[in-house]
């Protein structure tokens, strides 16, 4: 029975306990800002349910009151998707307390988890079972599997294992009216109609609240080779990718591009990091894994790189001789985003184009941007193996931050128009959130937008789930 005179807050407290409905400004503060401090919002409360049943009751109560709900996981998202708007009308639904590994099924190679288990804890649970959950990204200590699903996170092993979308067999979600959809199936084959779980993956909390997932596990790697190769230009990096795919097949797990400036920035903010191949324009960090014992992987990677040096594709290369050295090379790559944040203003792009089009895209974008914004510095890095670059533009050294950021929209237009011209995507892995809502309208066809709105209206007719995100 719902007491219609009770406030929403008191109804929520009756569901989750008063201690888990936060209303004081100081308690709300951490939930109202994204990790980069770019988006700030307000909320009437933060509510922290402990179970799927509690999430269901919370959503039903909010929906009955037509109160917007903003799901929040680890709050590491890049597009302001987990930050409420400035109206103060929303309830932030934090899944902090839902962090149970529900089941490990070694024979089915699956792991069933609550939405708020961190990615690092999922990886650990897989490792404890002698297997691998391959999703990997720099925020893995804080981001959550619910957030990973909701953003269809990519990361550094997509080349071999695919995006989150490819790593999920089942989803449990709470719908906009509070009903629970139990889609926690561990099936690799199931052609019984529409694949509903995919609707909730990449939906950024606009179609339902993900409360649990069945994840695919893989054999754990028994051999690993990690190497850094220096190349003269991006054409050479693309050629190296082709050569390594031919010689290593799907054992090539990661293929990351870093410009010299990206490496320099990373080292400026973590000076203890190595600089094994100084003086080159571009670098590729690559990793190959093999699951078989006595694998000849290390020798094969060495031979492939030697052949690439011989043929002039690669200028120089080093292969990590220990796990520690491999870790340092990855830290060099993974620290770039944080180094940029500390270094000063920058305009970020998370774009993809077909791998073959990357060199031409970069050449054309550099010409257009340099003409428009003289002195601009290009901090180009990312998942070249997937055709996905973090194509970031930093202010000239010593430039006025505000004046530089005033050019952001102009820079976005140049970059995104070129991405579209090359058949690419303006958001390869970080999603849309509030950041790219307007850009989405510009670059998606009317038919595609109609379909998206139709799905949103069907699943969330009153628009209570994360309003103002993805779709305007
Ligand atoms: P949040 O930030 O809390 O939320 C993200 C979105 O999902 C929001 O719209 C939110 O409303 C929604 N959401 C969260 N949980 C749920 C749920 N249970 N149900 C429904 N909706 C929900 N991303 C990549 O893809 N690849 C990378 O390589 C990568 N590298 C990163 C490196 C750093 C240093 C950082 C800080 C971030 C990086 N990211 C990367 C972005 C981010 O880590 C991912 O988007 C991650 O998947 C977000 O998870 P989260 O739990 O922090 O989600
Ligand atoms: Zn990335």
């Amino acid at each position: 029975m719902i007491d219609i005179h009770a406030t929403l807050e008191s109804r929520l407290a009756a569901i989750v306990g008063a201690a888990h409905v936060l209303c004081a400004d100081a308690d709300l503060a951490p939930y109202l800002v994204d990790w980069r401090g770019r988006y700030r919002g307000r909320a009437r409360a933060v509510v922290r349910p402990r179970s799927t049943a509690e999430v269901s009751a919370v959503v039903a109560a909010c929906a009955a009151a037509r109160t917007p709900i903003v799901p929040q996981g680890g709050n590491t998202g890049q597009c302001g998707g987990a930050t409420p708007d400035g109206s103060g009308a929303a309830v932030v639904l934090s899944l902090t307390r839902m962090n149970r590994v529900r089941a490990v099924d070694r024979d089915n190679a699956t792991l069933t988890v609550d939405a708020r288990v961190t990615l690092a804890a999922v990886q650990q649970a897989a490792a404890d079972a002698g297997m691998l959950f391959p999703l990997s990204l720099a925020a893995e200590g804080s981001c959550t599997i619910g957030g990973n699903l909701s953003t269809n996170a990519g990361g550094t092993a997509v080349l071999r294992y695919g995006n989150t979308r490819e790593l999920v067999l089942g989803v449990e979600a709470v719908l906009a009216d509070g009903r629970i959809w139990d889609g926690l199936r561990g099936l690799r084959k199931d052609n019984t109609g529409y694949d509903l779980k995919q609707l909730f993956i990449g939906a950024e909390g606009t179609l339902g609240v993900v409360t649990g997932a069945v994840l695919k596990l893989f054999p754990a790697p028994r051999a690993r080779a990690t190497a850094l190769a220096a190349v003269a230009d991006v054409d050479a990096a693309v050629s190296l990718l082709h050569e390594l795919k031919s010689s290593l097949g799907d054992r090539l797990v990661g293929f990351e591009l870093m410009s010299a400036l990206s490496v320099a920035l990373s080292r400026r903010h973590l000076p203890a990091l190595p600089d094994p191949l100084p003086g080159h324009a571009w670098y590729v960090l690559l990793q190959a894994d093999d699951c078989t014992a006595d694998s000849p992987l290390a020798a094969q990677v060495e031979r492939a790189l030697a052949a690439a040096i011989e043929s002039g594709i690669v200028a120089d290369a080093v292969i990590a001789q220990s796990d520690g050295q491999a870790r340092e090379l990855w830290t060099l790559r993974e620290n770039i985003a944080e180094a940029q944040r500390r270094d000063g203003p920058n305009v970020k792009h998370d774009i993809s184009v077909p791998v073959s089009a990357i060199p031409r895209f970069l050449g054309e974008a550099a010409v257009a941007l340099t003409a428009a914004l003289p002195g601009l510095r290009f901090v180009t890095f990312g998942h070249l193996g997937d055709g996905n670059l973090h194509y970031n533009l930093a202010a000239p050294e010593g430039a006025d931050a505000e004046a530089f950021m005033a050019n952001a929209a102009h820079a976005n237009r140049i970059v995104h128009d070129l991405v579209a011209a090359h058949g690419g995507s303006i958001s390869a892995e970080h999603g849309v959130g509030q950041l790219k809502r307007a850009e989405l309208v510009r670059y998606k066809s009317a038919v595609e937008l109609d379909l998206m709105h139709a799905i949103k209206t069907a699943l969330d007719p009153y628009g209570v789930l994360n309003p103002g995100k993805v779709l305007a």
Side-chain angles (χ1 to χ4, degrees), residues 218-250:
F218 295 81
R222 301 220 192 132
R224 170 162 293 171
T226 307
L228 186 73
V231 290
D233 51 36
V234 179
D235 271 304
V238 170
S239 301
L240 178 62
L241 176 64
H242 182 84
E243 294 302 319
L244 290 177
K245 274 182 170 171
S246 306
S247 51
L248 301 173
D250 71 357

Side-chain angles (χ1 to χ4, degrees), residues 141-443:
S142 323
C143 67
T144 67
I145 208 68
N148 298 148
L149 262 70
S150 300
T151 59
N152 183 27
T156 51
V158 172
L159 185 58
R160 161 77 179 85
Y161 296 100
N163 293 290
T164 300
R165 210 177 272 295
E166 280 88 36
L167 302 174
V168 178
L169 292 178
V171 166
E172 178 188 78
V174 171
L175 308 182
D177 58 5
R179 278 181 302 160
I180 298 168
W181 175 53
D182 179 355
L184 287 178
R185 298 177 193 123
L187 302 175
R188 285 169 175 76
K189 291 190 140 183
D190 177 14
N191 281 347
T192 52
Y194 306 142
D195 191 353
L196 295 176
K197 67 176 178 293
Q198 295 296 351
L199 279 178
F200 300 96
I201 303 177
E204 301 183 49
T206 63
L207 299 180
V209 180
V210 175
T211 48
V214 182
L215 306 172
K216 268 190 210 172
L217 300 182
F218 295 81
R222 301 220 192 132
R224 170 162 293 171
T226 307
L228 186 73
V231 290
D233 51 36
V234 179
D235 271 304
V238 170
S239 301
L240 178 62
L241 176 64
H242 182 84
E243 294 302 319
L244 290 177
K245 274 182 170 171
S246 306
S247 51
L248 301 173
D250 71 357
R251 290 175 303 167
L252 187 61
V253 171
F255 192 92
E256 300 283 311
L257 181 73
M258 301 183 281
S259 69
L261 179 56
S262 315
V263 173
L265 273 182
S266 185
R267 294 192 65 250
R268 180 190 287 179
H269 293 278
L270 262 187
L273 287 175
D275 187 14
L277 299 171
H280 296 275
W282 294 94
Y283 299 91
V284 169
L285 173 59
L286 61 100
Q287 181 183 310
D289 286 354
D290 198 334
C291 305
T292 55
D294 306 324
S295 162
L297 182 70
Q300 287 175 338
V301 168
E302 198 173 332
R303 265 205 306 279
L305 286 172
I309 291 175
E310 186 82 5
S311 62
I313 294 173
V314 167
D316 204 353
V318 287
I319 299 178
Q321 297 302 310
S322 65
D323 288 350
Q325 283 183 4
R327 198 62 251 144
E328 282 183 341
L329 291 177
W330 273 107
T331 307
L332 199 58
R333 158 67 184 87
E334 289 179 341
N335 187 46
I336 298 172
E338 173 62 15
Q340 266 211 291
R341 188 179 71 91
R342 291 207 255 152
D343 209 70
N346 54 82
V347 179
K348 289 172 176 264
H349 301 102
D350 165 34
I351 56 100
S352 63
V353 294
V355 173
S356 50
I358 282 199
R360 228 161 2 107
F361 162 77
L362 285 176
E364 291 168 15
V367 170
L369 287 164
T370 309
L373 302 167
L376 179 83
R377 295 177 302 152
F378 297 91
V379 184
T380 306
F381 64 99
H383 321 288
L384 181 64
D386 318 324
N388 171 202
L389 292 182
H390 299 308
Y391 185 63
N392 298 345
L393 312 171
E397 293 271 12
D400 175 64
E402 226 167 278
F404 177 73
M405 290 312 283
N407 298 314
H410 187 194
N412 288 165
R413 185 63 51 245
I414 292 172
V415 172
H416 290 164
D417 278 357
L418 272 170
V419 164
H422 285 283
S425 167
I426 60 160
S427 180
E429 63 172 4
H430 292 159
V432 178
Q434 16 186 334
L435 177 66
K436 292 184 186 158
R437 237 174 10 190
E439 293 294 89
L440 200 73
V441 175
R442 188 181 173 95
Y443 294 102

